């Protein structure tokens, strides 16, 4: 029996012993290894699995780290006096979070980002908003300069907890082509 750390209650524990026979029949499954060029199809939509609630501290630190001197991002009085009635989250932070959310499904194996285009911010973001994002594959082609790489373009859209679109952009990245020996 084990004792619970918080309540002091006794917890039942179960021990399962794995036999040599069990081990022999076990299948080791690899963790997620990301997509390669051949795994992308135009029109695929990836709803990225992790949302992120942006805090006031996130916003202040990011704003000051990047030397952005616009007080609407870190001065509560300036934010309250603005047309929005509150401090805005630095739009570069919103972009960074949405881009980071997209990596697991899109550019986990990227050789390099090649470009960002059409960044739009249709709705303000405030501390306390939770951002989630999704990406759609809009184009792909094999690289002209690297025979073992392809170029993929995605459109990523980010939404707040009320499903208002807060950001959209297009990103192009280079990713390896699937080796011949990969199933």
């Amino acid at each position: 029996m084990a004792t619970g750390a918080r309540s002091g209650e006794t917890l039942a524990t179960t021990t399962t012993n794995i036999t040599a026979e069990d081990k022999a029949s076990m299948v080791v499954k690899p963790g997620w290894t990301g997509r390669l060029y051949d795994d992308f199809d135009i029109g695929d939509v990836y709803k990225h699995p992790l949302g992120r609630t942006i805090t006031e501290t996130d916003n202040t630190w990011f704003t000051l780290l990047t030397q952005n001197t616009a007080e609407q991002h870190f001065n509560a009085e300036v934010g309250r006096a603005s047309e929005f009635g509150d401090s805005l989250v630095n739009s570069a932070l919103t972009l960074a979070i949405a881009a980071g959310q997209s990596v697991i499904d899109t550019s986990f194996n990227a050789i390099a980002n090649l470009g960002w285009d059409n960044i739009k911010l249709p709705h303000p973001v405030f501390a306390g908003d939770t951002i989630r994002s999704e990406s759609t594959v809009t184009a792909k082609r094999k690289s002209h300069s690297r025979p073992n790489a392809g170029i993929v373009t995605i459109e990523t859209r980010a939404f707040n907890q009320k499903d208002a679109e807060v950001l959209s952009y297009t990103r192009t990245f280079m990713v390896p082509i699937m080796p011949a020996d990969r199933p």
Side-chain angles (χ1 to χ4, degrees):
M1 296 294 200
T3 303
R6 289 190 173 184
S7 65
E9 65 190 32
T10 302
L11 305 172
T13 58
T14 304
T15 303
T16 303
N17 292 322
I18 299 173
T19 66
E21 185 178 297
D22 292 333
K23 287 182 183 180
S25 66
M26 288 179 155
V27 176
V28 176
K29 297 183 179 182
W32 176 243
T33 58
R35 289 181 173 81
L36 300 176
Y37 175 79
D38 307 84
D39 298 320
F40 291 98
D41 289 315
I42 295 172
D44 285 351
V45 177
Y46 302 109
K47 293 185 179 275
H48 309 307
L50 303 176
R52 174 71 158 79
T53 301
I54 301 174
T55 68
E56 187 175 336
T57 301
D58 294 331
N59 188 41
T60 300
W61 284 1
F62 185 90
T63 298
L64 297 176
L65 177 68
T66 58
Q67 299 183 352
N68 183 330
T69 58
E71 285 190 281
Q72 66 188 6
H73 300 307
F74 58 85
N75 182 325
E77 294 305 316
V78 170
R80 276 193 280 280
S82 75
E83 65 182 274
F84 301 104
D86 203 353
S87 295
L88 293 174
V89 166
N90 184 321
S91 56
L93 175 57
T94 305
L95 175 62
I97 288 171
Q101 289 173 334
S102 74
V103 168
I104 190 71
D105 293 315
T106 62
S107 55
F108 186 86
N109 289 316
I111 297 165
N113 277 315
L114 302 177
W116 301 72
D117 294 298
N118 304 317
I119 299 170
K120 294 186 172 56
L121 305 157
H123 193 278
V125 176
F126 302 100
D129 283 351
T130 299
I131 304 302
R132 64 177 177 77
S133 62
E134 63 184 41
S135 297
T136 303
V137 179
T138 60
K140 68 181 263 189
R141 69 172 177 81
K142 292 190 176 177
S143 172
H144 300 302
S145 62
R146 294 188 185 203
N148 296 325
I151 297 171
V152 176
T153 300
I154 60 172
E155 179 189 27
T156 298
R157 296 171 42 203
F159 304 87
N160 68 14
Q161 68 280 1
K162 297 175 183 174
D163 288 327
E165 186 174 316
V166 298
L167 169 76
S168 65
Y169 65 88
T170 301
R171 179 167 64 103
T172 301
F173 54 91
M174 182 179 288
V175 66
I177 288 176
M178 189 178 305
D181 61 347
R182 182 175 168 204

